[in-house]
Amino acid sequence: MLLSSDVIRNSGIAFGTSGARGLVTQFTNEVCAAFTHSFVATQRQDFTFNHVAIAIDNRPSSFRMAMACAKALEHLGIEAIYYGVVPTPALAYAAMQDKIPSIMVTGSHIPFDRNGLKFYRPDGEISKSDEQEILCTRAKFSPFEDIPNLAVNPDAARLYIQRYTSLFNAALLTGKRIGIYEHSSAGRDLYSKIFSALGAEVIALERSDEFVPIDTEAVSDEDIAKARNWSKQYALDAIFSTDGDGDRPLVADESGTWLRGDILGLLCANALHIEALAIPVNSNTVIDSSAYFSHVKRTRIGSPYVIAEFSTLAENYETIAGFEANGGFLLGSDVRIKQHTLKALPTRDAVLPALMLFAEARHKTISALVDSLPKRVTYSDRIKNFPTERSQIILTLGQEDPNRLLDALGFEEQLIQSLDCTDGLRITLKDNRIIHLRPSGNAPELRCYAEADRVEIAKELVHSCLSKIAVNGFVELLSK
């Protein structure tokens, strides 16, 4: 017999900001089974269920991992409902309607040689305390060799499409041309059905048979150029895409300019008449200065931290929501859209913010909606394959002596207005420029976020900081 906690610990896999992540080679059948046994054991403490829902993204390794999870469920006498390749929010929504737990096999935007598992309680996304309980649970299970094939149940895809097509009449998007950058997104077979049902003319763009690690937080120069070219070529009113598992949106305006995720979330929340927001600390400060919301609470980066604030906000406000700087809208309460009720979905979703944006832009351009906001812009990028321990050294030294860090990064003036160590190190300068350094919670990467009054300034801040940090010897120089 094996103990799930021992198997998980020896695998080297840990929870990041969004699920358990690791190399595909680490997610053996035994490791997938260990996570499944631990997850079920924790859920059985609070819920009674005989089914667990499973879905996957389009990574080559995901189906094998799903079968291993299903085999573990079989050993527990639990039936797996396999929804196939669907977006993470589609899985979560279907499972919540049936009041059963669910497991999403996905690595989101990280490269295809990595993968992950996301876990959902019958009432929504698991918390950070749930994660620790999964890691520590000592569930006994037997190793196995054979894994079952799985037949696809279409209900999650159907319910997800119905969730949004039922909100508006079929003429909502009539006359709009929307491009869908399909790549390898888990929801690529659903999005055209949603937008077409609402009257849009949909143009499918660049479907890929190979997994494409789209990062909505650090859009590549190649994808920036693609969007601008597609917009001109097809005379598009908008372009819609997502990350790998379809929970973070990537939306471009009529010129092919990609919107930042927090600006998209701001416009969506305003259109939904949300009263109170929970957002990560790296979100654009225009959200606070817009005065659209009664209360804005800033959290650590990651949907579990955003969701953790919902119960507190619900004590004083009827409509609550959250979103992240890299996209993904979390609906923390039911809301009314005309005569329809949209049920809460407390996990990241890509379709809702895009759909509300398109609805608001029925008689104007998307760029006009963005231009109506106060002029404040953000930008971010990352250094890939940057050891996390080196990132932590930079943060520790920067917190101890932020002026020394700014000096090493090439800032001539070291006038600091405030420091925020909620998640990483966020430095606001006297001239209101913001630099924020933070190691990724999902991969060995160092991310840099910047905020300024003009996009050129924000980009220069990020590129300048990352270029200096990437130089060999930077950490050693900072340590002297």
Side-chain angles (χ1 to χ4, degrees), residues 119-319:
F119 300 97
Y120 290 84
R121 298 156 50 94
D123 54 1
E125 193 170 317
I126 63 170
S127 66
K128 283 297 176 182
S129 61
D130 289 327
E131 291 178 359
Q132 290 307 307
E133 194 170 353
I134 290 171
L135 294 176
C136 297
T137 294
R138 295 167 60 84
K140 294 181 180 180
F141 71 99
S142 301
F144 53 83
E145 295 182 1
D146 62 311
I147 52 179
N149 201 2
L150 298 171
V152 176
N153 182 318
D155 285 352
R158 177 184 57 79
L159 286 171
Y160 191 62
I161 292 171
Q162 184 182 34
R163 171 177 170 84
Y164 293 120
T165 55
S166 63
L167 290 179
F168 303 99
N169 65 51
L172 175 72
L173 301 179
T174 297
K176 298 293 185 180
R177 291 169 59 84
I178 299 176
I180 299 182
Y181 177 19
E182 295 183 337
H183 58 91
S184 53
S185 170
R188 63 188 183 182
D189 292 328
L190 280 60
Y191 303 136
S192 62
K193 295 178 181 178
I194 294 173
F195 298 137
S196 296
L198 295 174
E201 180 184 355
V202 172
I203 294 89
L205 303 167
E206 202 167 296
R207 175 174 289 228
S208 173
D209 291 330
E210 297 182 359
F211 186 79
V212 180
I214 296 291
D215 187 346
T216 61
E217 192 170 39
V219 183
S220 68
D221 291 339
E222 182 181 3
D223 284 332
I224 290 172
K226 284 178 181 177
R228 289 173 179 164
N229 291 335
W230 287 330
S231 182
K232 292 178 182 177
Q233 182 180 354
Y234 298 105
L236 300 176
D237 294 291
I239 302 172
F240 174 78
S241 191
T242 74
D243 63 345
D245 68 320
D247 67 346
R248 293 173 177 167
L250 190 59
V251 178
D253 66 15
E254 71 281 358
S255 69
T257 299
W258 296 114
L259 275 63
R260 298 290 297 178
D262 45 10
I263 296 300
L264 177 60
L266 166 61
L267 293 169
C268 175
N270 186 43
L272 290 172
H273 305 293
I274 297 298
E275 295 175 282
L277 285 176
I279 56 174
V281 66
N282 62 325
S283 300
N284 195 319
T285 58
V286 74
I287 298 163
D288 309 79
S289 62
S290 68
Y292 290 161
F293 312 104
S294 299
H295 183 72
V296 177
K297 171 65 177 179
R298 289 180 175 259
T299 74
R300 291 184 63 184
I301 297 171
S303 57
Y305 301 109
V306 172
I307 294 169
E309 292 295 330
F310 285 168
S311 58
T312 302
L313 294 178
E315 294 175 1
N316 298 300
Y317 303 97
E318 289 188 7
T319 56

Side-chain angles (χ1 to χ4, degrees), residues 39 43-44 46-53 78-79 81 83 90-103 120-125 159 334 343-345:
F39 173 57
Q43 294 308 290
R44 279 182 162 170
D46 300 316
F47 303 99
T48 299
F49 53 91
N50 296 312
H51 299 81
V52 171
I78 296 173
E79 182 178 349
I81 303 175
Y83 288 128
L91 167 69
Y93 180 65
M96 287 178 65
Q97 305 318 299
D98 290 335
K99 296 180 172 56
I100 62 173
S102 57
I103 302 171
Y120 290 84
R121 298 156 50 94
D123 54 1
E125 193 170 317
L159 286 171
D334 292 356
K343 291 184 179 180
L345 182 56

Side-chain angles (χ1 to χ4, degrees), residues 6 22-23 28 33 40 64 78 80 232 257 261 275 305 325 356 394 404 415 436 455:
D6 292 344
L23 295 168
T28 63
V40 168
R64 188 268 305 166
I78 296 173
K232 292 178 182 177
T257 299
E275 295 175 282
Y305 301 109
M356 295 309 300
I394 293 172
R404 181 177 178 84
L415 301 175
H436 183 176
V455 67

Side-chain angles (χ1 to χ4, degrees), residues 378-441:
T378 58
Y379 186 76
S380 61
D381 207 342
R382 58 188 169 163
I383 304 175
K384 297 180 181 180
N385 300 315
F386 194 84
T388 301
E389 57 270 21
R390 293 180 70 81
S391 295
Q392 294 295 352
I393 292 172
I394 293 172
L395 292 186
T396 300
L397 295 174
Q399 291 167 4
E400 294 173 353
D401 190 348
N403 284 309
R404 181 177 178 84
L405 173 61
L406 289 176
D407 183 62
L409 291 174
F411 286 83
E412 294 181 3
E413 297 183 4
Q414 304 172 16
L415 301 175
I416 298 174
Q417 181 182 140
S418 64
L419 295 178
D420 190 328
C421 299
T422 301
D423 199 341
L425 178 60
R426 185 175 176 87
I427 304 174
T428 301
L429 304 176
K430 288 290 187 181
D431 61 5
N432 289 321
R433 291 180 299 166
I434 297 175
I435 285 291
H436 183 176
L437 297 174
R438 173 184 172 271
S440 171

Side-chain angles (χ1 to χ4, degrees), residues 429-471:
L429 304 176
K430 288 290 187 181
D431 61 5
N432 289 321
R433 291 180 299 166
I434 297 175
I435 285 291
H436 183 176
L437 297 174
R438 173 184 172 271
S440 171
N442 298 321
E445 299 173 350
L446 177 65
R447 291 187 179 270
C448 179
Y449 313 87
E451 183 176 322
D453 291 332
R454 300 204 316 271
V455 67
E456 297 82 5
I457 296 175
K459 284 184 177 181
E460 173 57 27
L461 286 171
V462 170
H463 292 156
S464 176
C465 289
L466 292 182
S467 64
K468 289 180 172 61
I469 293 173
V471 172

